[in-house]
Amino acid sequence: MNHDTSSEQYILVTGSGQVLAVSDTAQSLIPHISPLLPDLINGAGEDTVLLNGRTYQIHRHLLKSESGESYGLLISLQQTSAVQSSDPRLGAIALALSDKLEINHVLENVVRFAMDLLNADAGALPIYDPDTDRLLPGHLVNLPVDLIVPVIGQRRGLMWQIVHQGSSILIADYADHPAALPELVQVGVRSLLATPIIYGKTPLGILAMYRLRNEPFGEGDRELLQAIARQTAIALQNARLYQRAIRNADERFALYQASIEIGATLDLEQLYQVIYRATTRLVSHQRFVIAIPTENRMVEYVHIVTPTGRQAPQQVPLHCGLAGYVLRFGVSLRLSGAQALPEPAVQLLPEIEGELADGSLLAAPLIVGDRIIGALLVWSNHHDAYTMADLNALELLAATVAVALHNAFRFAQIQSQAITDNLTGLANRRHFLQVLHQEMERNRRYHTPVSIAMIDVDHFKQINDTFGHIAGDYVLREIARRCRQQLRDVDVLARYGGEEFGLILPETTYEQALKATERLRTVLATTPIMIDGRQINPTISIGVASFHPTVYPDPSSLIADADRALYLAKQQGRNRVCGVQELTNDAQP
């Protein structure tokens, strides 16, 4: 084998990959090397690449100014050798492989070239996947399609021996070998020659040649196959660099697009949907979850998508489910199969998370500062579906999602504070008036009934004077809580001022409102409140009115009539409900 080394060629680039200058001798290489630039820039040490049928050694030189700041990277390409052999067709292999950047094309060309050079009857090139430590089918010629399947579990047999030992094997009488596969013996394999495909110290696959006739391979064939494997290693690494560059470009675009969409909304429901779409563009999945911790050590699954569609939010204890594990420990997960669970005590939630036994999981915590504010999880129905590159992509997305969710949570909190009474946690007077105006407009448009009630705590000053203002505040909070328990989700109970409450009852007639408020009055009158071992028996008086567009031009007029009915209840002895019809027939709804 002869070695004839040529002069070095140079490319000057920025850290972002922009080409600043190219030596004259390297101009012809730019179209071939451009797709590989991102990996070459970010690589460490030396690389070997195959360009236009020639092998080049890559060297990197970081350029710095006098102040020590880096301003560029000088990449030098040195042609190490034009590999020659007693068989000139090896050069044809190198030239043919140099233009193939799709792995499937590389595999097909290699197997057919090797079969031709070695006069083999069949060939195979299984690929080794270091992420999952398994052999993938790769490419087969003149062998049953289902012969080579992903090898998972026990790492035994001739192929694994080649991967682990990094050396070739030559078996002249295959049928008599103790490790021979019955399937290969059955199709008539007489002789096997196989060698590992190694780039640096990393195994990439195995190149195997088979003869079905009684003419075994020789040592000269072994040397030739090893030379082909060396060319193949460079070609496969080139293809992997190219595919990684394409994937990185796609991921950068997807993450850029996601950052714009995610940053464009503070509405939590819209944000959940945007996060789901962004995740779907990055990694394939059959299940998706956004989970957040609550103050009472629960996990709230705020956005759940399963194969049957969007599911209702759910809450479970923090110690249950994989989301709970991520929230407790702030760790990312890449799992395949239930045996890979981070701890046996994790209680899976099949209705949300599915069965992990034959599937895969990716999970990333959502962290802002030193706080874990949520978790992002995806599931696949397939074994070993995700690589470390997939996890890295999800973690990059999670960093953007965490900031966006944190901002949306704060915005929601500020909005809630703006419409919430601090003492009782009910809506405040401002929000009460806004909702009442909306319900009145809805009545005008769709003729749907709406009623209101004004509620006042009887003798509240006496409670304050007897038990103190702290006890009085507790009584107001307890009355608010008990009333809320008796109402529908659509009803709006607000603290109108002092010890007075306002209640909006959508889709409720006058008669229905009287019944609903009488239920409130009864519950409060029959359930004492205990404070420091002392019993308080507060009661309420209620005035009820129903909206009619010809009677009430605005919310204040409707509230005024309900207040008049409330005053009548006070006059009649308190602890009772009075409706506006008891005042006058002029305001009948």
Side-chain angles (χ1 to χ4, degrees):
M1 187 176 293
N2 301 322
H3 299 271
D4 85 16
T5 304
S6 64
S7 61
E8 287 187 292
Q9 300 162 76
Y10 299 94
I11 301 174
L12 179 61
V13 298
T14 64
S16 62
Q18 180 183 0
V19 178
L20 300 176
V22 181
S23 65
D24 292 340
T25 54
Q27 289 287 350
S28 61
L29 297 178
I30 287 296
H32 303 280
I33 203 171
S34 291
L36 310 179
L37 273 179
D39 281 283
L40 295 180
I41 291 171
N42 297 318
E46 296 183 353
D47 280 320
T48 303
V49 296
L50 189 63
L51 303 171
N52 203 23
R54 296 181 176 84
T55 304
Y56 292 87
Q57 195 76 24
I58 304 295
H59 302 271
R60 303 171 184 83
H61 310 278
L62 187 62
L63 304 179
K64 295 185 178 181
S65 62
E66 293 182 359
S67 62
E69 295 182 359
S70 61
Y71 62 86
L73 186 71
L74 186 65
I75 298 177
S76 66
L77 300 92
Q78 185 176 37
Q79 186 180 342
T80 56
S81 63
V83 180
Q84 301 295 329
S85 168
S86 56
D87 193 326
R89 288 178 294 176
L90 273 179
I93 291 181
L95 186 60
L97 293 182
S98 65
D99 289 331
K100 303 296 181 184
L101 291 176
E102 293 291 338
I103 287 181
N104 288 338
H105 292 165
V106 171
L107 301 182
E108 181 177 359
N109 278 270
V110 167
V111 175
R112 293 195 178 277
F113 268 119
M115 286 176 59
D116 185 36
L117 287 179
L118 293 164
N119 197 18
D121 300 313
L125 204 167
I127 295 295
Y128 175 71
D129 182 2
D131 283 336
T132 58
D133 189 27
R134 64 176 182 170
L135 285 169
L136 304 176
H139 192 77
L140 305 173
V141 175
N142 293 343
L143 291 172
V145 175
D146 59 349
L147 177 64
I148 298 181
V149 296
V151 180
I152 306 169
Q154 294 181 326
R155 300 328 195 227
R156 294 184 300 184
L158 294 173
M159 295 297 110
W160 281 107
Q161 175 186 325
I162 295 171
V163 170
H164 291 152
Q165 296 182 0
S167 57
S168 62
I169 60 172
L170 194 163
I171 302 174
D173 193 351
Y174 182 79
D176 291 337
H177 195 279
L181 291 176
E183 296 89 344
L184 289 177
V185 174
Q186 187 175 359
V187 297
V189 171
R190 297 289 190 86
S191 178
L192 165 68
L193 174 61
T195 191
I197 300 171
I198 303 174
Y199 183 83
K201 295 182 179 180
T202 304
L204 302 181
I206 299 168
L207 183 54
M209 296 287 106
Y210 305 90
R211 283 184 179 166
L212 309 184
R213 60 190 186 277
N214 192 17
E215 186 181 332
F217 294 105
E219 287 300 324
D221 296 320
R222 188 203 296 262
E223 292 181 7
L224 185 55
L225 190 64
Q226 289 173 337
I228 296 172
R230 286 192 290 271
Q231 296 288 340
T232 304
I234 298 172
L236 278 178
Q237 182 65 7
N238 272 15
R240 287 189 170 185
L241 290 176
Y242 174 75
Q243 289 192 345
R244 191 185 306 163
I246 295 298
R247 178 191 172 96
N248 289 344
D250 290 342
E251 284 181 359
R252 284 193 293 268
F253 178 75
L255 290 169
Y256 170 73
Q257 193 174 27
S259 67
I260 294 175
E261 293 179 3
I262 289 172
T265 181
L266 288 171
D267 179 81
L268 277 171
E269 179 54 32
Q270 291 182 11
L271 184 57
Y272 295 149
Q273 305 224 11
V274 170
I275 294 168
Y276 171 72
R277 290 196 298 269
T279 305
T280 303
R281 287 196 293 265
L282 276 179
V283 291
S284 62
H285 57 80
Q286 282 75 51
R287 292 177 181 268
F288 169 88
V289 157
I290 301 173
I292 61 174
T294 65
E295 293 181 355
N296 56 347
R297 290 191 61 79
M298 300 286 284
V299 178
E300 184 173 3
Y301 289 80
V302 294
H303 194 91
I304 307 169
V305 179
T306 70
T308 59
R310 176 83 182 269
Q311 307 298 318
Q314 297 186 38
Q315 279 198 9
V316 300
L318 188 60
H319 66 271
C320 295
L322 289 165
Y325 183 89
V326 175
L327 292 173
R328 279 184 289 144
F329 298 103
V331 295
S332 297
L333 297 176
R334 182 174 70 96
L335 305 178
S336 185
Q339 72 277 6
L341 288 175
E343 58 179 28
V346 173
Q347 300 180 29
L348 295 180
L349 305 170
E351 67 280 4
I352 299 176
E353 302 175 342
E355 299 290 346
L356 192 60
D358 298 317
S360 304
L361 163 82
L362 284 184
L366 306 176
I367 301 175
V368 176
D370 58 353
R371 289 182 55 230
I372 303 169
I373 67 165
L376 199 59
L377 300 92
V378 294
W379 288 261
S380 169
N381 293 337
H382 306 292
H383 198 85
D384 286 332
Y386 300 122
T387 66
M388 282 303 299
D390 294 318
L391 181 58
N392 292 337
L394 190 67
E395 288 176 331
L396 287 173
L397 178 64
T400 300
V401 167
V403 175
L405 273 181
H406 178 66
N407 291 338
F409 290 153
R410 291 184 61 189
F411 180 73
Q413 183 180 23
I414 291 170
Q415 276 195 317
S416 175
Q417 290 172 348
I419 63 173
T420 303
D421 173 64
N422 291 333
L423 177 64
T424 63
L426 299 177
N428 59 20
R429 178 173 180 164
R430 174 187 173 197
H431 187 57
F432 176 83
L433 294 173
Q434 286 176 342
V435 174
L436 181 56
H437 174 76
Q438 292 167 1
E439 288 297 327
M440 290 169 63
E441 290 302 311
R442 194 158 73 95
N443 172 279
R444 289 189 174 97
R445 181 175 298 180
Y446 302 110
H447 309 292
T448 53
V450 57
S451 300
I452 70 165
M454 300 305 293
I455 304 169
D456 191 76
V457 182
D458 298 328
H459 302 297
F460 186 70
K461 183 177 183 302
Q462 184 178 335
I463 294 175
N464 273 336
D465 292 344
T466 304
F467 297 97
H469 288 282
I470 293 177
D473 288 347
Y474 178 77
V475 168
L476 287 178
R477 286 195 297 270
E478 189 63 16
I479 288 175
R481 185 186 69 82
R482 294 181 182 185
C483 286
R484 186 68 264 175
Q485 287 180 337
Q486 302 301 316
L487 297 170
R488 303 168 301 175
D489 289 341
V490 295
D491 300 331
V492 177
L493 181 65
R495 188 183 180 200
Y496 198 74
E499 67 271 21
E500 189 173 11
F501 299 89
L503 173 61
I504 301 172
L505 299 161
E507 305 283 348
T508 305
T509 64
Y510 179 76
E511 290 76 14
Q512 291 170 334
L514 289 175
K515 291 180 180 178
T517 52
E518 176 62 26
R519 185 171 61 250
L520 290 184
R521 185 203 66 76
T522 302
V523 167
L524 287 172
T526 57
T527 312
I529 296 175
M530 302 299 297
I531 298 181
D532 296 331
R534 303 173 67 183
Q535 180 174 303
I536 302 177
N537 297 88
T539 60
I540 57 175
S541 298
I542 305 174
V544 174
S546 290
F547 175 71
H548 193 283
T550 62
V551 177
Y552 302 111
D554 52 38
S556 61
S557 60
L558 179 60
I559 293 170
D561 257 5
D563 261 333
R564 289 171 61 208
L566 170 61
Y567 183 70
L568 179 62
K570 295 277 190 181
Q571 283 184 319
Q572 292 183 357
R574 295 182 171 84
N575 189 24
R576 67 185 61 236
V577 177
C578 286
V580 72
Q581 291 184 23
E582 299 178 47
L583 294 170
T584 174
N585 292 328
D586 296 336
Q588 285 187 14

